[in-house]
Amino acid sequence: NSVEYEVAGEAETTNESAVRYLLATGYQGKAIKISQMFLFVSKKVRSEEIYDSGHNCVYRDGNGKSWTHLAYFKERLRDVIPDIDQISKEYPYDEDAPISDAMRMVTEMAAKIQKYIQGEDMPAGSKMVLHADCTGGLRHTNMMMLGIMRLLQYNNIEIGMILYSNYKKKKVEEANEIYHFFDLIAGAEEFVRFGSVSAILDYYH
C-alpha cells in the first residue's frame, strides 16, 4: 500500500525496533502499511511485568505504572500504528512445551495467516506480503517459523523482509540471506533427484 507513516524516535525494545525499521525502510522502494500483525506471545511476555535494566525491581513509567512485555510493546508503537490493538492477533506460545507441541503451535499460526490472506479482498494490482521478525524466542521455534514461511511461499504468499534486532550491535539486520539458504537446499535436492542445476543457479545468481 502507499500509506506512509512518520517513523521517529528511538526504540526501547528489540521487537519494537524491527517494526520501526520495517516502516521506516519500506519494501522494494515503497512505503508500506501493516494491515495485520501476528504475534507469538509466551507466558512470560503475556503475564510477567518488565524489570528494570538491572533486574532489581519492576520497571515503572513516569506515572508509576508497571507493564507486561506485550502491553509495553504495543504502547511503544502507538505513535506509528495507532490501531495496533485492532490489527494484532496474538497466539499463546508455551515456552515450556516440548518441541513437538511447539511445531504444532507454529503450523497453526501458519494456517491462520493463510486463512487471513485468502479472506482479504485485495484491490486489483495490489499484493499481500509477509514480513517476519525473528528476534527473541527459542531458537528452534525461529527455525520452524522460517520453514513454515517457506510453505506459505509455495501457496503464493510473497515473503518480504526477515528482520533480526541485534541488541549488542544496536541495529536491525536484514536476515533474508538465511531464508534464501532454503533455495540452495532445494536446489541440491533437485540436482540429486533429477540432475537439474536450475535452482542452484538461481540461488547463486
Side-chain angles (χ1 to χ4, degrees):
N1 295 322
S2 60
V3 178
E4 294 188 14
Y5 284 115
E6 180 181 350
V7 183
E10 295 183 357
E12 292 190 9
T13 67
T14 51
N15 295 113
E16 173 202 349
S17 64
V19 176
R20 289 185 182 276
Y21 179 89
L22 179 63
L23 291 172
T25 305
Y27 179 62
Q28 294 182 342
K30 297 180 180 179
I32 69 167
K33 180 181 185 299
I34 297 177
S35 59
Q36 195 75 198
M37 294 182 70
F38 299 90
L39 307 174
F40 274 124
V41 288
S42 66
K43 290 186 294 184
K44 179 178 180 179
V45 166
R46 293 194 308 271
S47 59
E48 290 189 16
E49 295 176 314
I50 301 172
Y51 272 68
D52 67 3
S53 57
H55 300 282
N56 298 315
C57 60
V58 172
Y59 164 79
R60 297 188 182 279
D61 62 19
N63 296 319
K65 181 179 178 180
S66 63
W67 297 85
T68 64
H69 295 264
L70 177 60
Y72 192 67
F73 167 76
K74 288 184 176 182
E75 185 65 22
R76 284 289 308 164
L77 287 170
R78 289 190 199 284
D79 62 317
V80 289
I81 311 178
D83 58 346
I84 190 168
D85 290 317
Q86 290 71 42
I87 69 169
S88 296
K89 292 187 180 296
E90 300 154 19
Y91 297 96
Y93 176 81
D94 185 356
E95 57 267 47
D96 298 322
I99 292 179
S100 57
D101 285 351
M103 184 64 184
R104 175 183 53 78
M105 295 175 209
V106 174
T107 53
E108 287 177 356
M109 167 77 91
K112 293 179 189 300
I113 294 173
Q114 180 79 33
K115 183 177 180 180
Y116 167 76
I117 292 176
Q118 289 175 342
E120 283 293 287
D121 185 18
M122 299 293 294
S126 62
K127 60 183 177 181
M128 187 73 70
V129 182
L130 177 64
H131 306 281
D133 172 21
C134 292
T135 309
L138 300 176
R139 297 300 174 258
H140 66 268
T141 305
N142 285 333
M143 274 299 299
M144 289 187 293
M145 189 167 71
L146 290 173
I148 294 301
M149 290 174 66
R150 186 69 170 188
L151 293 177
L152 289 171
Q153 181 181 347
Y154 289 141
N155 285 312
N156 297 319
I157 294 176
E158 181 172 342
I159 304 301
M161 298 176 70
I162 299 174
L163 303 173
Y164 175 77
S165 297
N166 192 319
Y167 179 76
K168 291 185 177 180
K169 293 182 180 180
K170 304 296 182 185
K171 70 176 184 178
V172 176
E173 298 176 336
E174 297 182 22
N176 284 66
E177 290 181 6
I178 297 174
Y179 179 77
H180 290 311
F181 186 66
F182 284 101
D183 293 327
L184 179 60
I185 295 172
E189 183 174 4
E190 182 183 73
F191 175 72
V192 171
R193 286 176 177 266
F194 310 110
S196 171
V197 297
S198 60
I200 293 178
L201 291 176
D202 287 344
Y203 170 79
Y204 281 107
H205 175 73

